[in-house]
Amino acid sequence: MLFPLRVIGILALFSYIAATHSGAPAPKPANAPAGAHPQHQVANLGDFKFESGDVVKDFKVSYVTHGKLNKDKSNAVLVMHPFLSDHHLLDFLIGPGKALDPNRFFIVATDFIGNSGLQHDITTGPTNSGLKIEFPRYTVLDSVNVEYKLLKEQLGISRMLCVLGPSIGAMKSYQFAVSYPSFIASAVPIMGSPVTSPRMRWVLNNAIDIMAMDSGWQGGNYEVNPTGGLVIGLTAWLPYVYTEKYYAENLRTPQQQRDFRKVWHGIFTSNDARDVYYQMRMWAAFNIGDSKGFGGNTQAALKSIKAPVLLLTAKEDLMISAAEIALAKSAIPNVSHVEIDTAFGHAACCGLDPEVNKIMNREITAFLAKIK
């Protein structure tokens, strides 16, 4: 029975988020290595210029590090989180004996632009900047540029051994590989597409429209988080997170459905509607082919990737189609692909299926052993 495990995983994440938002000291996530709770750090990048040409002053980026940078600074790995999460969600890959072993690697786990306006020391975004709906519309490349500046200018790293992440983090992995080919030695996109499909774009834009229909939205300039539209909009997105099998096995009874709804509604309302709105717009608009020099040609952009790439995908992922993965697999010159069969579908990207976690740790370990 998968549902109890899923509830435990989500409740652990929700408990962490809730404690952080309330001002209490954040407890160690349930999947953190023993004794590991790295100090949360915030770097000020100064004036940050977006692709649009807009500039946000005093731009900050939130992150944690694990392990130590070696003398020649050749062991750095960037970990980028998915939607509705933060720098802790990939902790199941970090720790002694795991794929990202702090005894071998210097791991930088970041928070992307505006990933939660309810956490005031998090990476700058629409809400915590005070700019609200006047905040620049940003792209996946903008988010990658933030991390590039952090790594190169703040941490003094001239080349990353690997960049990896699930879902939106996978999109950013593709973007790093295309836009900064000499900066990375390898990339691991986990359950993410190089281009948002028309179907998924429709799902995301529909959720955006629903959020904006809340009377409390006030054109995006609200003072009180309009959670009604936020919950309904994200609930419209939720059916694509798991497989048909998962829903059939775990939401059979009214009580199971109520429990599932309660957990997810708690997660949804712990986020800021405006920041979620911006994140979904970024996601909906993504096409790696829009990178400079490719004129919207996704295949050409993928063919330009020089670094070795490990694709980790779920066999039945309702957010990422088989055609999108086939495109990446056929176009990237140096690619390996591992498809994982799991009832969790897209949600398996985030540490909730122990068997998938084992496979990911094993495959990433083997992949990184070949990277220099």
Side-chain angles (χ1 to χ4, degrees):
M1 194 71 172
L2 294 173
F3 185 55
L5 173 63
R6 181 69 180 96
V7 171
I8 290 169
I10 287 295
L11 284 176
L13 176 61
F14 179 49
S15 297
Y16 165 73
I17 293 170
T20 304
H21 288 174
S22 66
K28 286 183 291 186
N31 56 5
H37 188 57
Q39 183 179 0
H40 184 200
Q41 301 178 67
V42 179
N44 192 323
L45 303 184
D47 293 354
F48 180 76
K49 187 175 182 179
F50 290 76
E51 271 199 279
S52 63
D54 294 317
V55 175
V56 172
K57 297 182 179 297
D58 197 32
F59 194 99
K60 297 181 177 66
V61 56
S62 166
Y63 67 103
V64 296
T65 64
H66 308 254
K68 294 182 179 180
L69 195 60
N70 59 15
K71 288 184 180 180
D72 59 2
K73 300 183 179 181
S74 62
N75 67 334
V77 175
L78 175 65
V79 174
M80 300 170 289
H81 66 79
F83 184 54
L84 298 181
S85 64
D86 66 8
H87 58 255
H88 282 297
L89 206 69
L90 274 293
D91 283 353
F92 70 94
L93 294 174
I94 302 171
K98 296 185 179 181
L100 305 180
D101 190 332
N103 295 316
R104 297 182 56 208
F105 304 114
F106 176 63
I107 303 122
V108 182
T110 56
D111 294 298
F112 65 65
I113 300 175
N115 70 320
S116 180
L118 300 180
Q119 297 186 50
H120 300 296
D121 59 352
I122 223 74
T123 298
T124 298
T127 294
N128 65 13
S129 67
L131 294 173
K132 299 183 180 179
I133 210 68
E134 297 302 317
F135 193 83
R137 180 169 179 169
Y138 58 84
T139 64
V140 169
L141 179 57
D142 286 321
S143 189
V144 162
N145 286 342
V146 166
E147 283 153 339
Y148 177 78
K149 286 177 70 68
L150 167 70
L151 296 165
K152 188 154 190 179
E153 297 177 11
Q154 300 284 326
L155 301 181
I157 301 170
S158 58
R159 190 166 187 258
M160 300 298 294
L161 181 70
C162 184
V163 295
L164 64 85
S167 197
I168 287 178
M171 291 156 50
K172 292 171 64 177
S173 298
Y174 288 117
Q175 191 71 68
F176 257 110
V178 170
S179 297
Y180 291 103
S182 63
F183 185 66
I184 69 164
S186 66
V188 183
I190 302 170
M191 300 177 198
S193 173
V195 56
T196 302
S197 69
R199 178 181 61 83
M200 203 62 216
R201 191 179 308 125
W202 188 91
V203 169
L204 294 165
N205 284 327
N206 181 58
I208 287 168
D209 290 343
I210 291 170
M211 288 192 289
M213 289 174 68
D214 189 319
S215 60
W217 176 253
Q218 299 178 11
N221 288 308
Y222 59 82
E223 296 295 336
V224 178
N225 193 26
T227 55
L230 175 66
V231 166
I232 297 170
L234 287 173
T235 300
W237 160 85
L238 185 57
Y240 299 89
V241 175
Y242 304 95
T243 66
E244 295 284 353
K245 180 181 178 181
Y246 180 90
Y247 287 109
E249 290 183 352
N250 298 294
L251 273 73
R252 291 195 301 259
T253 70
Q255 187 59 51
Q256 287 176 321
Q257 293 174 14
R258 284 192 292 270
D259 289 344
F260 187 80
R261 181 186 299 271
K262 182 179 179 181
V263 169
W264 272 103
H265 282 199
I267 293 170
F268 293 159
T269 56
S270 72
N271 284 272
D272 180 81
R274 189 163 38 227
D275 290 336
V276 169
Y277 176 91
Y278 269 79
Q279 290 167 42
M280 283 189 155
R281 293 206 312 185
M282 173 187 72
W283 183 355
F286 179 64
N287 178 1
I288 195 63
D290 290 334
S291 303
K292 186 176 180 180
F294 299 102
N297 188 325
T298 308
Q299 185 178 42
L302 292 170
K303 283 185 175 180
S304 76
I305 294 175
K306 295 180 173 60
V309 173
L310 170 63
L311 296 178
L312 293 175
T313 67
K315 186 175 182 180
E316 187 182 351
D317 187 333
L318 299 181
M319 289 194 189
I320 313 298
S321 73
E324 293 161 51
I325 298 304
L327 173 61
K329 187 177 176 181
S330 65
I332 298 171
N334 186 356
V335 64
S336 51
H337 177 215
V338 176
E339 184 180 70
I340 305 169
D341 192 359
T342 169
F344 280 83
H346 193 77
C349 74
C350 302
L352 299 171
D353 184 336
E355 292 306 310
V356 173
N357 295 353
K358 290 177 185 177
I359 294 169
M360 282 203 249
N361 270 289
R362 182 188 71 221
E363 296 296 335
I364 294 172
T365 297
F367 176 73
L368 290 179
K370 303 173 186 176
I371 306 300
K372 295 181 181 179

